[in-house]
Amino acid sequence: ILYGSDSGYIDKSYCEELSDEDLRLARNEILARHGRTFKDQALQDYFSSKSWYMPTYTPEDFDAQQDSILNHWELANIETIKEVEAERK
C-alpha cells in the first residue's frame, strides 16, 4: 500500500489522500512484512492472502520486540499514519 515504507519516509500529505481503511492496512502492512500475526480476523485474512506474508510472531511477542524489529523509517512511518488517523477522529 505504501511502497518503500521500509526504506524511506512517507510524506504525510500522501497519507492524507488514503482512505481510513487503506491507512489501517498500510500501518499493519509494515508489521506484517516482519511476520506479525493479527488478532483481528479481517487483517489476518487480508495478509494471509499475500504471497509475501510469512506469519512468525504472535502479536504479543512482536509488540514486545517491535523497536528492535522495525527500522527507523518504519517506526516513523507508523507514527505518521497514526497522526493522520488521529486527526480524522
Side-chain angles (χ1 to χ4, degrees), residues 1 3-4 12 17 19 23-24 31-33 38 45 49 55 57 61 65 68-69 74-76 81-82 87:
I1 293 173
Y3 179 76
K12 183 179 175 184
E17 295 175 11
S19 69
L23 284 172
R24 180 175 179 253
L31 310 176
R33 272 196 241 112
F38 300 91
D45 291 346
S49 74
Y57 298 98
D61 288 343
Q65 305 175 63
S68 64
I69 295 172
E74 292 166 319
L75 292 167
I81 294 167
K82 285 181 177 179
E87 289 171 359

Side-chain angles (χ1 to χ4, degrees), residues 31 34-39 44 53 55-66 69:
L31 310 176
H34 292 279
R36 186 187 191 275
T37 58
F38 300 91
K39 292 180 183 178
Q44 189 62 50
Y53 181 61
T56 307
Y57 298 98
T58 66
E60 296 78 16
D61 288 343
F62 186 91
D63 294 349
Q65 305 175 63
Q66 180 172 311
I69 295 172

Side-chain angles (χ1 to χ4, degrees), residues 32 38 41-53 55:
F38 300 91
Q41 193 60 50
L43 281 175
Q44 189 62 50
D45 291 346
Y46 175 80
F47 291 114
S48 291
S49 74
K50 305 302 179 193
S51 62
W52 51 262
Y53 181 61

Side-chain angles (χ1 to χ4, degrees), residues 15 19-27 81 84-85 88:
C15 291
S19 69
D20 291 347
E21 182 62 15
D22 283 345
L23 284 172
R24 180 175 179 253
L25 290 173
R27 178 170 39 82
I81 294 167
V84 172
E85 289 174 319
R88 292 184 179 181

Side-chain angles (χ1 to χ4, degrees), residues 1-10 26 29-31 33-34 52 69-78 81:
I1 293 173
L2 292 178
Y3 179 76
S5 63
D6 61 338
S7 59
Y9 297 112
I10 300 300
E29 179 181 67
I30 294 170
L31 310 176
R33 272 196 241 112
H34 292 279
W52 51 262
I69 295 172
L70 301 175
N71 68 38
H72 63 280
W73 291 302
E74 292 166 319
L75 292 167
N77 290 332
I78 288 171
I81 294 167

